[in-house]
């Protein structure tokens, strides 16, 4: 028995060597499926594990709230709320910074910490230097990303405008906090580490500087297991409303956490979609190869059965070929997936500030990837292997009956006269093997579809940059004030050096209510007409600011389930805190955030206040930008300065880099799929038609002509697959566009695919086909005419 098993296994080795080209192509496709699953899943799990450990170790809180000012005694009421675990009051302020070597003003977030190191909520993880000393009121601990971006060192000082007064801050250490895992101020969507940083300062020093001795303006809480978050938030808002509470919110709406969760959700989606495509194509190719192998080895199968091999042993012999292919694909795929996963994880760590990230590929991930691949491959091979098992020896000894031939559709229509002899041969073979041709077309079209999806992500990124930073945001600079200023600030800003145009705005924190749905947000009051900040609809047409009523982004309207004309309850969380019903006057289609807009005069009336502004959009003369920066750094009323060009650069560097990395992987995998499917289809066609091609050579066809016949069929399949692939890519992109991964509250990726993306997919597929054609052409030139013609019919 052992010797017989060794004999049939030796046959398996010979088959693998004979089919090495096709086997390599399938191995690579299986490897792509395994690699994509391992890459996305391991990156997701590594980031999620790092997030969980970070949150737990440094006590990331569950509920957050900012307010104007409350006495410390209010914390006793807060801690008694049912469901509250621990609570911490803080002083948190945003200030303007003058950083050495940086022309434009930077923004700093000052967060109070105890003067002595102790375990606190939203604790800090010291990365370098030391903790602050109680007797040094100017000492701060800075975020390492800010220090590195500005080439600062421990002991360096920066200047800050603190409560209207200049103060030097000395950096004595660097630290991270889970609260600023994604380090942005909250007014933008992408990190700018050179112009925004977080600083931790002693509570007494910071409270004294902002006249908050014995008081606080920020609270963070943890919840007990099973606590009702919404009930806690409701009660917390009740307690803090008299003290200027700006509305409590849970971890899900905390900016840093929300960004990471959106990215993790996107990884989960891609970990499902890509492997399904790759492994489905691998199953189809294995079916093609095994079906051809069974067809060419009918007599060998009969001999094996005649010598006593059972149906099970013969069937297992062919299944072993499938398992060998999967095993080889697993070796390549696991290695490639681990390498890509590690690089993807480190790529994300550039933007998310973890104290440490340990990339790991769990055994379960690897076993699942290989197991799913094996199941897909065995399913693809089942039909062919079933045919092997059911083939009686006597029937197997006879040649396979020839196909039934009949005139093609083109011939029946009398159109064959328009085709050359080679063209008629190509057409006949495609029409007489419709299922085989269809499967090849579907396989190639999936590769084209993947390339179109990659183009969709790239085109969408370009669209966001064009719409958001050129159509919507047309200002050069955005100023925000430390507190609302009177209407004369417009005149004061116009006098600053280099300022060409000023359009002030009013921003008011509010809570929206419609039915049982609520949402924290803000209303931005714009001047009418507004030329530096435009509102646009889905057709990129300008939307005028109504004299009355409110304009919502379409995403916010969807979340609140409101339509144009519906009365929206607006609870103002500032000043006199009025509550009003405001009709929804229009919708706009911004791609970033959940903004709402009103006419600035209507908003002032809603606030029951005289004309006042929270900030301004500026158009400036770039020749005088340095003088303007210098003036703004010395203006205590300015809390922050944001530049459109800087935001555009950050977006391109962050989102563009992510999209570019993903597209590079997709293009590699799609090229492998295209080449694998085309090569396998051509190689099988060569095996099936070698006698026919040899006969054509004998009767006078040239080497070039038979190459045209064989490769012309593959070219026809590619040409048929490309439009189908375009359609599939369009549909897949549309489906992805509707998924939460790309339609989040923070960022909506538009559905746009430029013609260049379709042409690029065609080019890559064409190059893959050309490479496969060169390989097949080489094998065609080596065709042994005499040996082929001796083949038994």
């Amino acid at each position: 028995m052992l010797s017989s098993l060794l004999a049939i296994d030796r046959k398996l080795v010979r088959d693998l060597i004979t089919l090495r080209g096709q086997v390599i192509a399938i191995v690579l496709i299986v490897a792509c499926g395994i690699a994509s699953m391992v890459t996305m899943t391991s990156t997701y799990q590594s980031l999620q594990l790092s997030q969980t450990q970070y949150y737990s170790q440094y006590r990331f809180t569950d509920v957050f709230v900012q307010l104007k000012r409350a006495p410390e005694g209010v914390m006793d009421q807060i801690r008694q709320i049912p469901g509250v675990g621990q609570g911490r009051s803080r002083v948190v302020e945003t200030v303007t910074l003058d950083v050495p070597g940086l022309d434009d003003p930077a923004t700093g977030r000052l967060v109070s910490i105890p003067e002595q190191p102790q375990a606190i909520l939203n604790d800090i993880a010291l990365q370098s230097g030391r903790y602050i000393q109680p007797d040094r009121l100017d000492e701060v601990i800075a975020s390492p990303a800010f220090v590195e971006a500005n080439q600062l060192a421990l002991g360096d000082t920066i200047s800050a405008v603190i409560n209207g007064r200049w103060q030097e801050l000395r950096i004595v250490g660097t630290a991270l906090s889970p609260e600023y895992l994604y380090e942005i101020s909250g007014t933008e969507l992408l990190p700018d580490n050179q112009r925004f940083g977080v600083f931790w300062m002693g509570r007494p020093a910071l409270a004294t500087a902002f006249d908050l001795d014995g008081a606080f303006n920020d609270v963070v809480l943890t919840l007990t297991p099973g606590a009702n978050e919404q009930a806690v938030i409701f009660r917390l808002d009740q307690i803090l409303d008299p003290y200027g509470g700006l509305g409590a919110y849970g971890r899900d709406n905390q900016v840093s956490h929300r960004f990471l969760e959106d990215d993790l959700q996107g990884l989960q989606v891609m970990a499902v979609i890509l492997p399904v495509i790759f492994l489905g194509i691998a199953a189809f190719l294995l079916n093609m190869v095994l079906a051809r192998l069974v067809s060419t080895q009918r007599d060998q199968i009969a001999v094996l059965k005649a010598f006593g091999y059972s149906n099970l042993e013969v069937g297992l012999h062919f299944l072993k070929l499938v398992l060998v292919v999967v095993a080889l694909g697993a070796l390549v795929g696991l290695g490639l997936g681990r390498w890509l996963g590690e690089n993807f994880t480190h790529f994300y760590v550039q933007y998310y500030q973890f104290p440490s990230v340990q990339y790991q590929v769990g055994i379960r991930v690897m076993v699942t990837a290989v197991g799913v691949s094996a199941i897909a491959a065995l399913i693809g091979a089942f039909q062919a292997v079933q045919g092997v098992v059911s083939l009686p020896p006597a029937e197997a000894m006879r040649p396979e009956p020839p196909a039934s031939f009949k005139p093609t559709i083109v011939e029946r229509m009398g159109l064959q006269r328009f085709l050359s002899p080679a063209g008629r041969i190509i057409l006949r073979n495609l029409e007489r093997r419709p299922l085989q041709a269809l499967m090849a077309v579907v396989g190639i079209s999936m590769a084209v579809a993947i390339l179109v999806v990659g183009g969709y992500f790239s085109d969408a990124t370009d669209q966001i940059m064009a719409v958001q930073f050129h159509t919507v945001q047309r200002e050069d600079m955005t100023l925000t004030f430390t507190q609302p200023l009177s209407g004369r600030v417009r005149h004061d800003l116009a006098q600053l050096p280099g300022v060409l145009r000023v359009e002030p705005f009013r921003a008011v924190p509010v809570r929206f209510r419609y039915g049982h749905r609520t949402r924290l947000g803000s209303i931005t009051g714009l001047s009418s007409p507004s030329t530096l900040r435009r509102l646009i609809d889905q057709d990129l047409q300008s939307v005028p600011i109504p004299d009355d009523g409110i304009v919502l982004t379409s995403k916010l309207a969807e979340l609140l389930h409101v339509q144009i004309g519906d009365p929206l309850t607006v609870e103002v969380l500032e000043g006199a805190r009025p509550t009003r019903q405001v009709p929804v006057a229009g919708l706009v289609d911004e791609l970033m955030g959940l903004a709402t807009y009103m006419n600035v005069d209507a908003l002032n009336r809603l606030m029951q206040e005289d004309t006042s502004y929270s900030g301004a959009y500026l158009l400036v003369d770039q020749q005088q930008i340095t003088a303007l920066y210098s003036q703004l750094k010395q203006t205590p009323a300015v809390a922050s300065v944001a530049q459109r060009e800087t935001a555009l650069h950050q977006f391109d560097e962050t989102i563009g880099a992510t999209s570019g990395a993903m597209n590079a992987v997709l293009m590699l995998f799609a090229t492998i799929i295209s080449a694998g499917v085309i090569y396998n289809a051509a190689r099988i066609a060569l095996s099936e038609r070698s006698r026919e091609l040899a006969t054509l050579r004998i009767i006078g066809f040239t080497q070039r002509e038979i190459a045209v016949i064989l490769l012309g069929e593959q070219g026809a399949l590619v040409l048929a697959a490309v439009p189908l692939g375009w359609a599939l890519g369009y549909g897949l992109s549309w489906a992805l566009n509707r998924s939460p991964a790309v339609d989040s509250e923070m960022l909506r990726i538009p559905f746009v695919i430029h013609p260049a993306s379709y042409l690029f997919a065609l080019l890559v597929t064409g190059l893959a086909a050309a490479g496969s054609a060169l390989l097949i052409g080489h094998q065609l030139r080596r065709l042994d005419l005499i040996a082929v013609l001796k083949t038994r019919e």
Side-chain angles (χ1 to χ4, degrees):
M1 184 65 179
L2 179 60
S3 61
S4 64
L5 288 176
L6 290 176
I8 199 169
D9 287 340
R10 285 198 295 271
K11 176 183 177 300
L12 173 63
V13 173
R14 288 195 298 270
D15 287 341
L16 288 170
I17 294 173
T18 303
L19 300 170
R20 59 186 176 275
Q22 294 162 267
V23 168
I24 290 172
I26 301 172
V27 163
L28 290 177
I29 294 175
V30 171
C32 288
I34 293 175
S36 61
M37 181 180 290
V38 171
T39 298
M40 301 304 173
T41 305
S42 63
T43 301
Y44 167 79
Q45 292 182 348
S46 296
L47 291 175
Q48 188 181 53
L49 178 62
S50 300
Q51 176 197 40
T52 302
Q53 291 177 342
Y54 190 18
Y55 284 3
S56 175
Q57 185 175 356
Y58 292 95
R59 294 167 287 281
F60 187 46
T61 50
D62 300 307
V63 177
F64 309 77
V65 62
Q66 292 80 47
L67 57 144
K68 188 71 173 177
R69 175 192 174 100
E72 191 63 33
V74 174
M75 283 303 298
D76 293 335
Q77 299 179 51
I78 293 174
R79 293 188 179 99
Q80 291 173 8
I81 297 174
V84 171
Q86 297 180 13
R88 176 192 169 202
S89 66
R90 306 185 298 181
V91 175
V92 179
E93 293 286 353
T94 300
V95 299
T96 300
L97 304 176
D98 184 6
V99 181
L102 184 65
D103 290 335
D104 42 326
T107 302
R109 176 73 49 77
L110 302 182
V111 182
S112 67
I113 54 175
E115 290 186 299
Q116 297 290 345
Q118 57 182 274
I120 58 175
L121 300 180
N122 292 345
D123 209 347
I124 61 173
L126 200 64
Q127 301 295 292
S128 66
R130 60 173 175 82
Y131 201 79
I132 58 173
Q133 294 182 359
D135 56 341
R136 304 287 181 85
L137 301 182
D138 62 339
E139 290 187 350
V140 295
I141 298 172
S143 55
F146 180 84
V147 171
E148 181 180 348
N150 287 287
Q151 300 180 344
L152 298 172
L154 298 180
D156 287 350
T157 61
I158 56 176
S159 301
V161 180
I162 298 181
N163 203 15
R165 299 183 295 272
W166 277 97
Q167 182 173 331
E168 296 292 321
L169 301 177
R170 184 173 303 278
I171 300 172
V172 298
T174 62
L176 298 171
S177 171
E179 188 177 6
Y180 295 98
L181 181 61
Y182 188 70
E183 195 171 313
I184 61 174
S185 65
T187 58
E188 70 283 333
L189 294 179
L190 299 169
D192 182 359
N193 299 129
Q194 191 173 27
R195 295 170 180 83
F196 175 77
V198 182
F199 300 83
W200 291 271
M201 190 174 183
R203 172 75 178 264
L206 190 56
T208 300
F210 285 95
D211 302 322
L212 287 169
D213 289 316
F216 60 89
N217 66 357
D218 190 279
V219 177
V220 289
L221 305 173
T222 60
L223 302 177
T224 57
N228 186 323
E229 181 181 275
Q230 291 305 313
V232 171
I233 288 175
F234 178 77
R235 179 60 183 141
L236 183 60
D237 285 338
Q238 283 185 322
I239 293 173
L240 294 180
D241 271 356
Y243 304 101
L246 298 181
Y249 53 91
R251 182 186 289 184
D252 286 345
N253 291 316
Q254 200 265 346
V255 173
S256 171
H257 175 80
R258 189 56 182 263
F259 268 97
L260 180 57
E261 286 297 306
D262 286 347
D263 273 343
L264 291 176
Q265 191 174 42
L267 286 171
Q268 275 189 306
V269 171
M270 297 304 291
V272 172
I273 292 176
L274 291 182
V276 167
I277 294 174
F278 297 136
L279 297 179
I281 294 174
F284 144 69
L285 288 181
L286 282 166
N287 182 274
M288 286 176 58
V289 171
L290 279 181
R292 175 54 193 159
L293 193 61
V294 170
S295 175
T296 58
Q297 293 189 1
R298 290 169 61 90
D299 54 346
Q300 297 179 35
I301 293 168
V303 171
L304 288 173
K305 288 190 174 184
F307 274 93
Y309 285 97
S310 67
N311 287 342
L312 178 61
E313 288 172 325
V314 175
L316 288 177
H317 164 69
F318 286 95
L319 288 178
K320 283 180 184 178
L321 186 145
V322 176
L323 294 177
V324 168
V325 169
V326 172
L328 294 173
L331 288 176
V332 177
L334 291 176
L336 179 61
R338 182 181 178 86
W339 180 78
L340 286 174
E342 189 168 6
N343 280 275
F344 265 66
T345 301
H346 290 151
F347 181 82
Y348 276 100
V349 171
Q350 295 179 58
Y351 308 107
Y352 293 103
Q353 308 295 319
F354 286 99
S356 63
V357 173
Q358 184 177 359
Y359 173 75
Q360 60 180 18
V361 184
I363 296 298
R364 180 178 296 179
V365 174
M366 294 188 289
V367 171
T368 301
V370 176
V372 170
S373 303
I375 292 172
L378 291 173
I379 290 174
F382 178 76
Q383 185 178 1
V385 174
Q386 188 180 36
V388 172
V389 173
S390 62
L391 202 61
E395 181 182 343
M397 292 296 291
R398 295 193 297 268
E400 189 175 4
S404 176
F405 292 103
K406 58 184 179 180
T408 64
I409 295 176
V410 172
E411 290 171 333
R412 290 197 296 269
M413 295 175 64
L415 301 177
Q416 69 273 16
R417 63 181 181 275
F418 298 109
L419 299 175
S420 66
R424 274 176 265 179
I425 292 173
I426 291 172
L427 188 62
R428 286 171 188 159
N429 279 286
L430 290 176
E431 189 170 337
R432 287 165 182 165
R433 294 179 175 85
L435 183 60
Q436 183 175 312
L438 177 63
M439 295 299 289
V441 167
V442 170
I444 300 169
S445 67
M446 292 306 298
V448 177
I450 293 174
L451 290 168
V452 172
V453 170
Y456 154 65
F457 282 117
S458 178
D459 294 340
T461 300
D462 293 341
Q463 180 79 352
I464 293 173
M465 294 196 312
V467 171
Q468 191 66 32
F469 298 105
H470 294 289
T471 303
V472 175
Q473 297 178 225
R474 307 177 74 182
E475 75 281 1
D476 294 321
M477 191 178 297
T478 301
L479 306 182
T480 55
F481 307 141
T482 54
Q483 59 184 5
L485 301 178
S486 67
R488 67 167 285 111
V489 71
R490 177 194 287 250
H491 174 76
D492 295 337
L493 291 174
Q495 305 307 308
L496 293 175
V499 173
L500 302 177
R501 183 177 179 83
V502 178
E503 290 186 4
F505 62 85
R506 179 75 166 99
V508 178
V510 299
R511 181 187 289 108
F512 299 110
R513 291 190 184 277
Y514 186 75
H516 65 280
R517 296 178 178 86
T518 65
R519 201 83 188 176
L520 286 175
S522 66
I523 299 176
T524 301
L526 299 176
S527 305
S528 182
S530 178
T531 59
L532 299 183
R533 180 58 63 100
R534 295 178 61 200
L535 308 184
I536 59 172
D537 59 19
Q538 60 183 357
D539 298 320
L540 304 184
Q541 299 301 310
S542 181
V543 175
I545 302 170
D547 294 332
D548 204 0
I550 191 169
V551 177
L552 308 181
T553 55
S554 298
K555 184 65 177 180
L556 181 56
E558 175 189 327
L559 294 172
L560 291 171
H561 290 242
V562 298
Q563 299 177 350
I564 294 176
D566 289 341
L568 184 63
T569 300
V570 176
E571 299 177 9
V572 178
L573 302 176
E574 183 181 293
R577 305 173 75 88
T579 298
R580 297 284 186 273
Q581 280 200 335
V582 183
V584 176
L587 301 178
V588 294
D589 281 270
E590 292 188 0
L591 301 174
M592 305 168 81
L594 298 175
T596 59
Y597 300 96
M598 288 183 69
N599 181 286
V600 68
D601 296 326
L603 182 57
N604 285 147
R605 291 194 299 271
L606 175 69
M607 291 289 295
Q608 301 175 359
E609 63 183 12
D610 295 331
T611 301
S612 62
Y613 301 114
S614 306
Y617 304 117
L618 305 182
L619 188 67
V620 302
D621 180 358
Q622 296 300 318
Q623 300 296 324
Q624 301 187 56
I625 194 74
T626 302
L628 177 59
Y629 285 151
S630 179
Q631 185 71 34
L632 291 175
K633 287 179 181 179
Q634 301 176 39
T635 305
V638 176
S640 66
V641 179
Q643 299 178 74
R644 184 190 54 162
E645 285 301 317
T646 300
L648 177 59
H649 174 73
Q650 290 299 125
F651 186 90
D652 187 34
E653 194 174 74
T654 305
I655 304 298
T658 304
S659 176
M662 183 65 71
N663 285 347
V665 174
L666 289 177
M667 188 174 75
L668 172 64
F669 287 174
T671 303
I672 291 173
I673 289 176
S674 295
V677 174
I678 296 169
Y679 176 79
N680 266 282
R683 187 68 184 83
I684 289 171
L686 177 59
S687 299
E688 291 175 339
R689 302 178 55 202
S690 56
R691 183 181 178 85
E692 176 187 335
L693 296 174
T695 302
L696 291 174
R697 289 281 287 122
I698 294 297
I699 64 176
F701 277 70
T702 66
Q703 182 79 45
R704 180 185 180 87
E705 287 172 327
I706 66 169
V708 168
I709 292 172
L710 181 63
L711 299 178
E713 290 182 23
Q714 310 313 313
L717 294 175
V718 172
L719 291 177
V722 167
L724 178 60
W726 286 345
L728 288 174
Y730 182 93
L732 188 56
S733 300
W734 182 87
L736 284 171
N737 184 257
R738 296 300 184 271
S739 71
V742 297
D743 187 26
S744 67
E745 296 179 20
M746 299 295 183
L747 179 67
R748 271 87 61 198
I749 297 180
F751 181 58
V752 54
I753 306 176
H754 296 316
S757 295
Y758 294 110
L759 294 176
F760 179 75
L762 173 62
L763 175 63
V764 172
T765 306
L767 291 175
S772 299
L774 289 176
L775 294 174
I776 295 298
H778 177 68
Q779 294 177 5
L780 197 58
R781 286 191 297 271
R782 297 170 57 190
L783 192 65
D784 189 337
L785 302 181
I786 296 176
V788 170
L789 288 174
K790 286 182 178 180
T791 302
R792 181 171 64 93
E793 287 288 357

